[in-house]
């Protein structure tokens, strides 16, 4: 099966490899397949980041309250360094992280400036040693704290030129490469915004590593005049010492972005003729999807699939196979898509363990095939043309649920080869 | 390939299913394969939990500073309700969560009492409607705050009887079913211990949902006499109002346990004849393993595999296939095991992007076969008998790295069938 046109290409186009021949072409789900190389190891290199920030080839994606600036629902809009310079305080990466931590003042708002990576397809762009490409950053322009006025000015200027900050889940309409860029930026800006305090000690934290780490500084200049660095004529002002914090000794996961693994699974009957699908009350009539849920601590993906299916539907799953994954930036999920096969005596549906679903039902492969052919659309959208009322409705190809069902009915399990549905 | 004796059985023994025939038997990695059904939907049902807590068939796993009480390095030891009653304040689940939140007093230490689930193999145990089994709980007995004395008393009494709290990573010696129970308990107690404050507002939080959720209460009786509920003769004491917090309106992931998805991958050369392995400086000579790293926000597992391999070794990976997963409770990782195939022109090793590894090298399948046969042991352990000095050393079968290599050299990719190595 060739990937759906809405889906991104895998980052490395598949060559005719053994894995591809045996297991089919890799499905790069929507929100993955980013054209940007993150260069994660350069985020703490302030020399690199400060040069990339001010380069003429650099693009800035702006978010106001997590709504991205966009030309229209299919394409993002970008700002240049000059557009955000006033808001971000010149070049915040000129100082080392050590200096930023020493000068920490919790009463001053520092907008998060997030390094996304380089688009290496654009070779004419920025150069740093062997690395070449056009840099991408994201900036949180939400008006707040001590930069409210400057943030509002950026918003007014950018929207005056045409682009708008688009609220809600406009993303499912974005072209695939930009959807992946948006997913990375949104997830990380949201993580910064919802974690202003240290969960270990309760004190405010500071964003470092170009937006990908939050540290708990040992001192704070709050309510004191800012220290004057390297000026011998100025009397030195000592910052307030803060309470001890465990995250300052050794590496703590609290300092790093959170991603919540979830499982989503196409469950097939033991005889491989039917799918188990479920629906929530608020969904339109005849709309069903695959079951899903959060993976818990101390649990494998395979166990989480079996637990969630049993808790929500009463069905017992045996063998579980992982198919593909999809980032889901609302706010920070990683959807791990699996195929599970029910055990022969475990196919009876029972909705009363965890009454999350309004209904769960077994559907013949043919019903699902017809649903994939003529019944898919976004949740808020009307059924597509050609849909026959009463038939099964299913999520669109941008949802991994659709891709899992499509893989099974296309023969992924039988042949190890994906063929066009 | 039959599972290694150290590995747990899959939760549902595989029947001769289509998925098993095509893709081989499921590998249940160490730390997975728990015999306990979590019944996650009953955690907020205080009637159920309070009955389970005091039942004679109930077992309590105790942790002191995250070290579990154990008979010896291969088996856990359990306490009964009577042993912990004094520490946990009788039955903390007699009150509803609503009452507990209303009575919240941040100056009183409430030891975390974690419901793990029911072992349904023990039918003679506890009954609740249709559900039957022996309940399992874990209790954090670390001496701290207002229960220091009571916690110390529990520790002294239990260790006087023989069992000890075993520090460090004794777990890799635990029998497989108990390793899975330990992983669940350790991960969740650790999450509670390292998140005493709300990352959204900085105020202290309260553990609810039998240890699996932390809420940010709107009021606090700190420094006030405790409220007397339902006693009309007592003057009512009003608690202090706390600052507003975003986690109180709607569902926030900050209230729920964190699990960090990581990728770990057996990378094969394009011609399927060699493996890419790497080593860290602190490892013993000749010891190598598969590459690994954290999955980032807005990134699929497949993308994370390609990024991490390129950043650490310079090798470009094409097709990625996910094989199996392993919970890793240090502190909260989910290891997602994959097999990736290098692209033809992308096999040159370059260690200078992210200099995390001391070395990365291509090894012939035969070298890896010999390493799996006679060179595996725990990291701190000596090489096994029969190991020839200078040959490749590899992680033990309890590590998913070992299982990934074993699957490939056993023909998993060629036949879709695992055969004994």
């Amino acid at each position: 099966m060739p990937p759906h046109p809405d889906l991104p290409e895998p980052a490395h186009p598949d060559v005719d490899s053994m894995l591809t021949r045996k297991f089919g072409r890799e499905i790069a789900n929507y929100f993955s397949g980013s054209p940007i190389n993150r260069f994660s190891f350069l985020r703490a290199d302030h020399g690199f980041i400060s040069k990339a920030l001010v380069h003429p080839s650099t693009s800035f994606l702006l978010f106001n309250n997590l709504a991205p600036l966009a030309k229209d629902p299919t394409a993002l809009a970008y700002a240049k360094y000059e557009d955000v310079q006033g808001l971000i305080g010149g070049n915040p990466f000129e100082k080392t992280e050590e200096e930023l931590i020493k000068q920490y003042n919790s009463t001053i708002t520092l907008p998060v400036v997030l390094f996304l990576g380089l688009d290496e397809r654009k070779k004419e762009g920025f150069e740093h040693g062997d690395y070449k490409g056009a840099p991408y950053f994201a900036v949180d322009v939400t008006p707040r704290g001590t930069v409210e006025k400057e943030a509002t000015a950026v918003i007014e200027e950018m929207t005056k030129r045409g682009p708008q900050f688009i609220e809600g889940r406009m993303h499912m309409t974005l072209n695939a490469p930009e959807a992946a860029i948006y997913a990375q930026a949104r997830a990380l800006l949201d993580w910064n915004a919802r974690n202003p305090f240290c969960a270990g000690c309760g004190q405010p934290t500071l964003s470092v590593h170009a937006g990908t780490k939050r540290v708990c500084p040992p001192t704070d200049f709050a309510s004191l005049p800012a220290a004057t660095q390297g000026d011998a004529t100025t009397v030195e002002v000592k910052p307030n010492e803060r309470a001890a914090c465990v995250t300052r000794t050794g590496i703590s996961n609290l300092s790093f972005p959170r991603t919540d693994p979830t499982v989503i699974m196409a469950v097939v009957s033991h005889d491989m003729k039917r799918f188990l699908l479920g629906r929530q009350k608020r969904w339109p009539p005849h709309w069903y999807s695959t079951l899903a849920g959060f993976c818990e601590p101390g649990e494998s993906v395979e166990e989480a699939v079996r637990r969630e299916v049993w808790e929500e539907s009463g069905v017992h799953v045996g063998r579980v196979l992982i198919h593909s994954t999809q980032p889901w930036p609302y706010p920070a999920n990683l959807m791990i898509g699996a195929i599970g096969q029910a055990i022969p005596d475990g196919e009876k549906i029972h909705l009363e363990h965890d009454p999350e679903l309004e209904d769960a039902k077994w559907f013949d492969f043919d019903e699902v095939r017809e649903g994939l052919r003529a019944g898919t659309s976004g949740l808020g959208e009307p059924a597509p043309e050609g849909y026959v009322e009463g038939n099964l409705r299913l999520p669109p190809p941008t949802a991994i649920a659709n891709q899992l069902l499509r893989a099974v009915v296309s023969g992924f399990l039988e042949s190890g080869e994906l063929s066009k549905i």
Side-chain angles (χ1 to χ4, degrees), chain A:
Chain A
M1 177 177 63
H4 187 278
D6 291 351
L7 294 178
E9 291 290 316
H12 288 269
D14 274 318
V15 286
D16 179 28
S17 70
M18 170 75 176
L19 264 63
T20 305
R21 284 199 304 278
K22 285 302 294 182
F23 296 93
R25 184 160 183 179
E26 181 179 314
I27 297 297
N29 287 296
Y30 194 72
F31 288 135
S32 76
S34 177
I36 286 180
N37 185 340
R38 296 183 183 217
F39 287 92
S40 76
F41 50 91
L42 293 177
R43 290 167 185 158
D45 179 342
H46 78 109
F48 167 79
I49 300 285
S50 62
K51 267 168 58 194
L53 185 81
V54 300
H55 196 268
S57 71
T58 302
S59 298
F60 293 81
L61 180 52
L62 309 185
F63 284 78
N64 179 12
N65 268 317
L66 301 176
L69 188 69
K71 287 182 213 158
D72 60 55
T74 69
L76 298 173
Y78 298 92
K80 304 306 284 178
Y81 174 67
E82 293 70 36
D83 300 322
V84 295
Q85 189 177 7
L87 168 63
I88 66 178
N91 189 335
F93 302 109
E94 272 180 346
K95 292 174 188 160
T96 64
E97 289 191 1
E98 207 183 0
E99 285 168 341
L100 289 173
I101 292 169
K102 270 194 190 153
Q103 293 169 21
Y104 178 63
N105 184 333
S106 62
T107 62
I108 297 174
T109 309
L110 300 174
V112 173
V113 181
L114 172 68
F115 176 62
L116 295 169
L118 301 181
D119 185 341
E120 295 170 301
R121 297 172 307 181
K122 301 181 181 166
K123 299 279 185 203
E124 74 289 357
F126 175 66
E127 281 192 39
H128 178 82
D130 291 340
Y131 308 133
K132 290 176 194 165
Y136 278 74
F137 285 82
V139 179
D140 188 347
V141 301
T142 311
R144 61 161 78 97
T146 53
V147 294
E148 193 174 342
K149 212 181 72 188
E150 291 81 357
T152 305
V154 171
I155 293 169
E156 284 175 0
E157 172 57 27
M158 295 307 296
T159 51
K160 208 163 62 184
R161 299 184 201 163
Q164 299 299 315
F165 291 92
I166 304 191
E167 312 258 349
R169 300 200 175 180
M170 55 77 74
H171 54 268
M172 298 298 282
T173 55
L174 270 182
N175 66 85
E178 288 199 316
I181 298 172
Y182 160 82
Q184 178 189 357
R186 189 200 191 279
L188 281 159
L189 292 186
D190 187 26
W191 172 74
N192 277 284
R194 67 171 68 208
N195 290 273
F197 293 90
C198 177
C201 71
Q203 299 173 98
T205 51
L206 167 70
S207 180
V208 295
H209 271 36
T212 62
K213 186 178 178 186
R214 295 191 73 88
V215 293
C216 186
T219 59
D220 189 346
F221 277 101
S223 314
L224 296 173
T228 308
Q229 307 291 318
D231 181 350
T233 61
T234 311
V235 179
E236 200 190 330
V237 179
K238 284 238 169 84
N240 302 305
E241 296 287 329
R242 305 210 307 175
C245 178
V246 70
T247 66
R248 283 179 220 139
T249 54
I251 292 169
S252 170
N253 65 347
L254 299 181
S255 305
F256 295 95
R258 170 175 175 149
T259 302
D260 296 312
T262 62
V263 291
I264 179 162
M265 42 274 174
V267 175
V268 294
S269 57
H270 181 254
D271 62 7
M272 301 286 293
K273 291 186 175 160
R274 291 170 302 154
F275 281 110
L276 176 68
L277 301 175
R279 59 172 272 114
Q280 292 174 24
K281 210 174 176 173
R282 59 189 173 81
W283 291 356
H286 315 302
W287 181 294
Y288 282 77
S289 187
T290 55
L291 308 194
F294 283 98
C295 198
E296 296 206 341
E299 185 178 55
S300 70
V301 166
E302 295 88 338
E303 288 180 296
V305 166
R306 285 188 280 263
R307 179 180 55 74
E308 283 287 339
V309 172
W310 178 78
E311 290 186 352
E312 293 191 357
S313 75
V315 170
H316 292 268
V317 170
R319 179 73 161 104
V320 171
L321 195 73
I322 303 175
H323 175 266
S324 62
T325 66
Q326 178 171 45
W328 195 256
Y330 305 103
N333 296 351
L334 171 67
M335 299 180 83
I336 303 171
I339 297 162
Q341 191 172 6
I343 59 173
D345 296 330
E347 298 185 347
K348 201 179 153 194
I349 287 171
H350 178 89
L351 297 174
E352 282 76 45
H353 298 307
D354 184 5
E356 262 192 28
L357 298 177
E358 187 198 49
D359 191 23
K361 250 166 79 175
W362 289 102
F363 290 87
D364 287 338
F365 275 23
D366 277 346
E367 290 175 88
V368 172
R369 265 193 203 97
E370 176 59 21
L372 288 170
R373 196 191 63 81
T376 68
S377 59
L379 245 188
E381 296 165 11
E385 248 182 274
Y387 169 75
V388 176
E389 185 62 28
N391 278 2
L392 179 61
R393 294 183 63 182
L394 289 169
T398 45
I400 190 170
N402 178 299
Q403 295 299 327
L404 294 171
L405 297 172
R406 198 174 283 260
V408 175
V409 300
S410 302
F412 170 70
L413 297 179
E414 285 81 1
S415 67
E417 289 284 348
L418 301 176
S419 56
K420 193 162 170 59
I421 183 171

